[in-house]
Amino acid sequence: MSRHEIFGNHGLRDRIEILEEENRQLKATIAGLTGRNEARLARKAFDLTEAEASIFMMLVTCGEAQYGQLQASIYTDRHLVELLDPDWAIRSHMKRIRRKTRPHGIDFGTVYGFGYTMNETCRAKARAILARAA
């Protein structure tokens, strides 16, 4: 018995709509957990690009981020395939973020082979600046 015989076309459409809505809700939850929702404020407060703001807010929200998490937050799978060295691209973003946030007393550490961390003091400074930018 085929799927069409079991569910019919109408049942499949309903199931697809349900899955699309679940997917949208999961993306919204992930955005909230990684700070992606506040990236607009980071762009304004620190003059960051969209990618830089996403990375910065992940560090502010989570305190640490692995290279793979950072790559997934700003690149699609297609972009990752096209990049010769995705880790180099992340390091390049991080260099520019540091240059823009250090004048505000905000910095983060590099953990070789892992990713980046931001201590609570810098995270608190960043949150205060973001609150003023809101």
Side-chain angles (χ1 to χ4, degrees):
M1 189 175 267
S2 73
R3 281 200 214 223
H4 294 290
E5 293 171 347
I6 295 171
F7 296 109
N9 283 337
H10 184 67
L12 286 175
R13 269 184 258 142
D14 290 344
R15 182 70 181 139
I16 289 170
E17 288 177 16
I18 290 168
L19 290 173
E20 286 175 343
E21 177 58 23
E22 288 175 358
N23 190 27
R24 187 197 61 73
Q25 290 175 6
L26 286 171
K27 284 181 179 181
T29 300
I30 290 169
L33 293 173
T34 59
R36 188 135 178 125
N37 291 339
E38 291 85 17
R40 179 186 54 79
L41 291 175
R43 291 184 72 183
K44 177 181 172 185
F46 300 102
D47 193 33
L48 301 172
T49 65
E50 186 174 339
E52 292 167 354
S54 294
I55 291 170
F56 180 73
M57 287 311 302
M58 184 176 285
L59 286 172
V60 170
T61 304
C62 302
E64 65 180 32
Q66 298 175 10
Y67 283 111
Q69 292 170 325
L70 296 172
Q71 290 168 4
S73 73
I74 61 173
Y75 298 121
T76 63
D77 289 338
R78 192 185 86 221
H79 287 120
L80 284 173
V81 170
E82 293 172 0
L83 288 172
L84 296 175
D85 187 358
D87 288 348
W88 178 86
I90 295 296
R91 287 190 300 273
S92 180
H93 284 300
M94 300 310 277
K95 182 175 106 175
R96 288 190 301 276
I97 294 169
R98 276 192 171 114
R99 188 175 29 216
K100 295 174 182 180
T101 60
R102 277 185 177 158
H104 301 276
I106 300 169
D107 202 1
F108 46 87
T110 303
V111 181
Y112 182 76
F114 173 79
Y116 299 90
T117 62
M118 183 181 285
N119 67 38
E120 186 54 42
T121 304
C122 289
R123 293 169 67 199
K125 284 182 186 178
R127 286 190 288 265
I129 292 170
L130 293 168
R132 285 192 303 266

